[in-house]
Amino acid sequence: MVHPKILEVIEYDVCTACGACASACPAGAIVVNKRAEVRDPDNLELYEKGATLNVCEGCFTCGRVCPVIDGYYDDEFANVKSFFGAKSAIVGQDGGVTSHILKELLRKGEIDCVVGISRNGVWETELVLMTKPEDVDKTTGTKYTYDSVLAALKEPFEKYDRIAVVGVPCQVHGARLISENVNDKIVLIVGLLCMESFYHETMREKIVPEIMKLNVEDVVKMDFGKGKFWNYTKDGQEHSVKIAEVAPYARNPCHHCCDYTSVFADISVGSVGTPDGWNCVFIRTEAGQKYFDKVKDTLEIMENPAPPGLDLVKKLAKMKHDNNSGHYLEVCEKFSFDECGIR
């Protein structure tokens, strides 16, 4: 049997664990932990007690929804229709815009559900299916620990017709590939700006206690900004270290990612290039414009964020590309297929 291409992505430790393959696999042959795992039909141990379910059938759907195989764009800003600042009354990471958009669309009945993540008091993430506006309140704020958001799409695909997805660039990329190749029930993709993310145990056991010198249960907010990684604690104190001290502990796939602004999203939202308390917003598609227009009157808008504005976002995107493109292209050379690359 010819094996799916994602096995090479897994072998070279560049699987982003976005979960797209797990949600798209018609045989249910893929599970996602720190990386995707495929139940191999050539593994005779699976047949010790007779025929087994949930093994790869060789349809190769997984390869069509893998962001690593699909590759990256050199110019993340070519599809940007508009860039501006926005903020809401929601207490979020900064302007609370992502939560506000999703909450309003659910309240108005424009979408049926949202797939995203929440976190507990020790920064463990949990996949969440939001069907009511109040469900969004559980997910406010950025989580720098990772979970496979798209793996949670199987159930909503069966129950709902208008699904929104919120995630970081690799998850957004996977969601776009699913919507184009497998299932058209994803009607809105909201992407977050992201330089890197971390495994929960790395954050809990290494970064927070050893580098930040804090108890993870005391941390109420994490952020990257002004060249530093910030932790905010229950007592109102701010703690920071240089990003260079924590960056080496990011998940290995993050060191191969060449997407900072979620280029495959309908709407991208971040906290860069706008004043404190505001979000930067990119409208990238007609769908993004349509859905944003339904909620914009409930947001405060800053049409032209003062410098550094968009220039700072572009600077950080270039930094990520410069740091990671060589690593990614080196792995592409090892693959037996040639679809991947930067275009």
Side-chain angles (χ1 to χ4, degrees):
M1 173 182 173
V2 178
H3 290 286
K5 296 169 185 175
I6 67 165
L7 289 182
E8 295 183 43
V9 175
I10 297 166
E11 176 186 354
Y12 290 110
D13 195 24
V14 289
C15 171
T16 68
C18 68
C21 56
S23 67
C25 178
I30 304 173
V31 295
V32 181
N33 293 305
K34 285 188 176 180
R35 59 189 62 83
E37 299 171 9
V38 182
R39 289 171 62 87
D40 181 1
D42 291 344
N43 179 359
L44 297 183
E45 292 181 0
L46 297 177
Y47 300 88
E48 286 180 352
K49 297 181 180 180
T52 186
L53 301 173
N54 301 327
V55 294
C56 176
E57 296 178 350
C59 71
F60 307 129
T61 300
C62 52
R64 296 198 298 273
V65 300
C66 176
V68 176
I69 294 173
D70 187 60
Y72 299 98
Y73 286 127
D74 184 53
D75 184 359
E76 294 187 28
F77 302 92
N79 67 348
V80 173
K81 295 179 176 294
S82 59
F83 169 80
F84 51 89
K87 70 176 180 178
S88 75
I90 292 177
V91 178
Q93 185 72 4
D94 282 281
V97 169
T98 301
S99 296
H100 184 87
I101 291 172
L102 300 174
K103 197 168 185 175
E104 281 295 294
L105 291 176
L106 284 170
R107 185 181 68 80
K108 294 183 176 186
E110 297 290 343
I111 55 177
D112 298 323
C113 68
V114 184
V115 175
I117 61 173
S118 63
R119 70 165 180 86
N120 63 18
V122 292
W123 290 85
E124 291 175 322
T125 54
E126 180 182 2
L127 298 173
V128 177
L129 181 63
M130 297 164 265
T131 58
K132 302 185 294 294
E134 54 267 31
D135 293 340
V136 179
D137 296 335
K138 307 171 188 174
T139 67
T140 58
T142 300
K143 301 90 184 165
Y144 290 101
T145 50
Y146 193 84
D147 213 330
S148 301
V149 168
L150 303 184
L153 281 171
K154 273 190 175 292
E155 178 185 347
F157 279 156
E158 295 175 357
K159 295 182 177 180
Y160 302 105
D161 294 321
R162 300 172 302 165
I163 301 168
V165 174
V166 57
V168 293
C170 57
Q171 296 161 350
V172 162
H173 193 167
R176 178 64 63 198
L177 293 172
I178 290 172
S179 68
E180 291 176 349
N181 293 284
V182 180
N183 195 310
D184 62 2
K185 291 185 175 182
I186 298 175
V187 298
L188 178 65
I189 304 172
V190 180
L192 308 175
L193 275 60
C194 177
M195 192 67 77
E196 61 232 338
S197 63
F198 304 84
Y199 292 121
H200 171 255
E201 58 266 31
T202 303
M203 185 67 74
R204 182 187 63 195
E205 298 171 9
K206 178 68 179 181
I207 295 176
V208 174
E210 295 186 15
I211 298 177
M212 301 301 299
K213 309 295 184 186
L214 298 170
N215 184 334
V216 69
E217 295 181 1
D218 293 333
V219 178
V220 295
K221 178 181 176 180
M222 298 181 185
D223 199 5
F224 283 93
K226 301 176 182 177
K228 295 182 178 182
F229 176 58
W230 297 82
N231 281 193
Y232 300 83
T233 48
K234 293 176 180 177
D235 60 5
Q237 297 298 308
E238 302 177 359
H239 311 264
S240 65
V241 297
K242 293 181 178 179
I243 291 176
E245 293 186 49
V246 300
Y249 298 99
R251 301 181 314 126
N252 188 61
C254 297
H255 298 305
H256 298 76
C257 174
C258 301
D259 184 356
Y260 174 60
T261 62
S262 289
V263 65
F264 294 92
D266 297 304
I267 303 172
S268 298
V269 182
S271 304
V272 178
T274 47
D276 290 345
W278 290 76
N279 287 121
C280 63
V281 181
F282 297 82
I283 305 297
R284 296 183 180 272
T285 67
E286 291 182 6
Q289 188 68 64
K290 179 183 78 170
Y291 282 105
F292 189 80
D293 285 347
K294 295 177 184 297
V295 305
K296 67 179 182 181
D297 290 342
T298 61
L299 290 163
E300 187 173 349
I301 304 295
M302 180 188 297
E303 294 292 350
N304 296 298
L310 183 58
D311 289 340
L312 178 57
V313 185
K314 290 183 174 180
K315 177 182 178 180
L316 293 174
K318 182 179 185 301
M319 181 187 304
K320 184 170 185 177
H321 282 239
D322 290 346
N323 289 341
N324 295 353
S325 60
H327 300 302
Y328 173 65
L329 293 174
E330 182 180 349
V331 173
C332 287
E333 289 293 322
K334 299 177 182 178
F335 290 153
S336 64
F337 50 87
D338 58 8
E339 287 93 329
C340 63
I342 300 175
R343 52 194 187 274

